[in-house]
């Protein structure tokens, strides 16, 4: 579904200063560092408490971008062949455009909110339904006022399901996200003290989050949670409920037993009088609750219980995604051997480009498995993949799987160094993998290709004490301080003594990506 810059001007009710109104827009950009396809990119110059996107228009213009949404028109006459749409507020315009885009789809859409577990539920549910639906989903943890529209923009004609998460930190934010996601199926994971500082009570925060579901057909939640049950009852939401419970056998989804052993957990349940069970390779209560929320959604989407049980046993920790490791022979590795689709590939390539920018001596290498369930003809799909690879300056491409092998001629014509293998075992036995050295390697493939074996072969074995640093917690702490500061107050972060052993390079990069003013 394509839009011209002229059409977008009308959709967001902007004033168009257009020299080429027929320019076609395929990508939305809010962060200049993520630019990969100048042609077809529409840049929204967002103003935040800590930055102003108008400062990057000149740089983006020099890199080939010709379409901009702005609130200020100073010096735009310098950009002779560019299109500008002038609006009152760029973020509102971004949200209005994507809300219009969402309205073009009559497919089921899952909206996920709550204090914890949103990303886990999204990724696990995607895994459970992936062979039954062509699903679009939020990349990584894109659940903010900016992340949600960038996620929903990924909806395409071939999709038969959407899975999007929504997070808030202040009152009145969810109303805007609801108009963008417009979920038909709602999942609320839980309500904890996370981001509590801007709400008078947990009940107020719960009511705000539940605004996401005001037009849903069905709401999925833990009926044993008093705050969820009482708040949902008081709001008189029109949706029917799949309220699961370990205590009340009259609920639509009754959890009969939860049995933990040395290898994982077995959950036995009754859904609409039918008894079934499944196992997950986890023991913690949070993972068990997340799996039950996914179970309820998959059952509602009519995924057969035996298929659900089979896929539940294959669940993996989400923290494995985009894990950076030191490799053998001077290599660095990004392990993303969890799934493969074009949206997450683009995100992973962007992640790789940023991380490898300080190591220009290392060749960028992509090891990619067949992309399944895309709904596209192979040549068209891998033409798009190749376009991404070229734009991200990949120097070596290693393709694994019969579909990618069938497009070997296409990749070879690009001039990139290419190698193709019918399966993972053939790759592991090859000189190609054994001779890799001084490369920055992204390993990207769905679970069925067992690319964890590739990571295991390439990573450097170091027998020493390991310190794991939670960079998400660092971001949360920074944002908590920012919420107490005035809009004009700048932030300087002091990174000293190797970030007190946490790693100055990674901590500094993370703070930079959070747009702190000074390091």
């Amino acid at each position: 579904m394509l839009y011209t810059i002229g059409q977008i001007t009308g959709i967001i009710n902007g004033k168009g200063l257009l020299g080429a109104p027929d320019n076609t827009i395929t990508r939305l950009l809010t962060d200049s560092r993520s630019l990969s396809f100048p042609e077809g990119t529409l840049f929204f110059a967002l103003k935040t408490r800590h930055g102003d996107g108008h400062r990057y228009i000149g740089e983006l213009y020099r890199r080939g971008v010709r379409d901009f949404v702005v609130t200020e028109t100073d010096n735009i006459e310098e950009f002779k062949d560019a299109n500008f749409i002038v609006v009152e507020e760029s973020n509102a315009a971004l949200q209005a455009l994507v809300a219009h885009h969402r309205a073009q789809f009559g497919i089921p859409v899952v909206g996920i909110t709550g204090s914890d577990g949103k990303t886990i539920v999204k990724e696990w549910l995607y895994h459970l339904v992936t062979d039954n639906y062509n699903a679009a989903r939020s990349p990584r943890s894109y659940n903010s006022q900016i992340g949600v529209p960038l996620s929903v923009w990924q909806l395409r004609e071939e999709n038969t399901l959407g899975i999007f998460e929504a997070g808030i930190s202040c009152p009145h934010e969810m109303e805007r996200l609801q108009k963008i996601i417009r979920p038909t199926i709602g999942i609320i994971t839980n309500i904890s003290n996370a981001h509590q500082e801007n709400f008078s009570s947990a009940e107020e925060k719960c009511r705000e989050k539940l605004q996401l579901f005001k037009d849903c057909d069905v709401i999925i939640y833990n009926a044993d949670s008093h705050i969820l049950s009482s708040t949902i009852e008081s709001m008189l939401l029109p949706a029917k409920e799949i309220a699961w419970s370990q205590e009340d056998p009259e609920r639509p989804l009754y959890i009969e037993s939860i049995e933990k052993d040395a290898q994982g957990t077995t959950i036995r349940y009754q859904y609409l009088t039918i008894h079934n069970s499944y196992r997950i390779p986890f023991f913690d209560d949070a993972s068990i609750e997340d799996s039950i929320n996914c179970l309820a959604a998959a059952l509602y989407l009519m995924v057969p219980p035996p298929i659900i049980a089979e896929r539940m046993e294959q669940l993996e920790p989400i923290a494995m995604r985009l894990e950076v490791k030191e490799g053998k022979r001077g290599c660095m590795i990004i392990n993303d051997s969890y799934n493969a689709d074009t949206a997450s590939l683009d995100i992973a390539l962007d992640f790789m480009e940023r991380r490898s920018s300080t190591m220009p001596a290392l060749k960028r290498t992509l090891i990619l498995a067949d992309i399944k369930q895309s709904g596209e003809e192979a040549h068209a799909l891998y033409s798009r993949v190749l376009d991404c690879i070229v734009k991200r300056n990949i120097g070596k491409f290693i393709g694994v799987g019969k579909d990618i092998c069938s497009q070997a001629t296409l990749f070879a014509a690009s001039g990139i160094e290419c190698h193709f293998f019918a399966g993972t075992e053939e790759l592991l036995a090859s000189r190609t993998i054994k001779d890799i050295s001084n490369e920055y390697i992204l390993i990207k493939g769905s679970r069925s290709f067992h690319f964890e074996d590739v990571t295991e072969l390439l990573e450097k074995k170091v027998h020493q004490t390991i310190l794991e640093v939670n960079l998400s917690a660092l971001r949360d702490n920074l944002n908590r301080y920012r919420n107490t500061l005035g809009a004009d107050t700048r932030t300087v972060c002091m990174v000293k003594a190797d970030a007190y052993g946490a790693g100055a390079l990674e901590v500094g990069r993370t703070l930079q990506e959070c747009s702190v003013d000074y390091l």
Side-chain angles (χ1 to χ4, degrees), residues 273-329:
T273 74
I274 305 298
H275 298 267
N276 281 292
S277 67
Y278 67 91
R279 281 183 59 81
I280 57 173
F282 303 99
F283 313 92
D284 61 289
D285 292 339
S287 293
I288 293 168
E289 183 167 332
D290 291 337
S291 77
I292 297 172
N293 281 317
C294 292
L295 167 70
L299 289 169
Y300 181 76
L301 289 166
M302 302 186 72
V303 180
I307 300 298
I308 294 174
E310 177 187 344
R311 295 173 187 163
M312 283 285 191
E313 286 198 88
Q314 300 169 352
L315 295 178
E316 295 183 9
I318 302 306
M320 288 181 63
R321 302 196 66 235
L322 295 176
E323 182 182 17
V324 182
K325 298 182 175 185
E326 184 177 0
K328 300 174 183 175
R329 299 181 295 277

Side-chain angles (χ1 to χ4, degrees), residues 326-338:
E326 184 177 0
K328 300 174 183 175
R329 299 181 295 277
C331 293
M332 293 296 293
I333 301 168
I334 300 175
N335 175 27
D336 198 13
S337 56
Y338 183 75

Side-chain angles (χ1 to χ4, degrees), residues 1 12 46 90 101 113 120 129 179 185-186 240 253 257 292 304 387 492:
M1 190 170 297
I12 65 177
L46 303 181
S90 297
H101 180 65
T113 192
I120 292 173
V129 305
K179 293 177 181 177
I185 302 166
K240 65 181 180 181
L253 176 57
S257 67
I292 297 172
D387 209 12
V492 54

Side-chain angles (χ1 to χ4, degrees), residues 322-337 348-349 351-353 355-356 359 362-368 394-398 427 432-444 451 454-455 457-460:
L322 295 176
E323 182 182 17
V324 182
K325 298 182 175 185
E326 184 177 0
K328 300 174 183 175
R329 299 181 295 277
C331 293
M332 293 296 293
I333 301 168
I334 300 175
N335 175 27
D336 198 13
S337 56
L349 287 170
F351 181 88
M352 179 188 192
E353 187 170 40
R355 287 299 191 274
S356 63
M359 300 180 178
L362 299 186
K363 178 189 291 187
R364 294 178 188 172
T365 297
L366 170 63
I367 303 177
L368 178 68
I394 298 299
K396 179 192 288 187
F397 176 75
I398 299 175
L427 169 64
T432 299
I433 198 76
K434 294 173 182 176
D435 291 342
I436 283 179
S437 64
N438 298 312
E439 299 175 30
Y440 212 115
I441 308 162
L442 170 60
I443 301 173
K444 180 76 173 156
F451 268 10
V454 179
T455 303
L457 179 66
L458 292 176
E459 70 177 319
K460 187 175 183 179

